[in-house]
Amino acid sequence: ELYELVVYDGADNVLRTVTDLSSPAFTYTAAMQAEDFPSGGPGRIAVWQISAQVGRGFEASADLAFAP
């Protein structure tokens, strides 16, 4: 069981990619959020389950909002 997670800014630019997650859980710490969104603003997080047969499955995503 593997997962890939990507954090995007409000313009869909990739800010952070986390690969080879072996659990469906990930802690997006306050330090990571401050690094990715120093001025606050909207963003989006997307996650895929990775399959040896199919590769990336269907994307699950959620919008993010950060205060400066």
Side-chain angles (χ1 to χ4, degrees), residues 1-62:
E1 188 172 340
L2 287 176
Y3 298 88
E4 182 172 311
L5 179 137
V6 178
V7 177
Y8 299 93
D9 66 10
D12 256 4
N13 297 305
V14 174
L15 300 176
R16 177 181 303 272
T17 301
V18 183
T19 59
D20 297 329
L21 291 169
S22 59
S23 167
F26 176 76
T27 301
Y28 191 38
T29 66
M32 290 175 182
Q33 293 171 34
E35 181 181 333
D36 293 345
F37 297 94
S39 301
R44 184 171 69 89
I45 194 163
V47 64
W48 296 265
Q49 186 172 9
I50 307 299
S51 163
Q53 296 170 329
V54 178
R56 270 187 178 180
F58 294 104
E59 174 185 306
S61 66

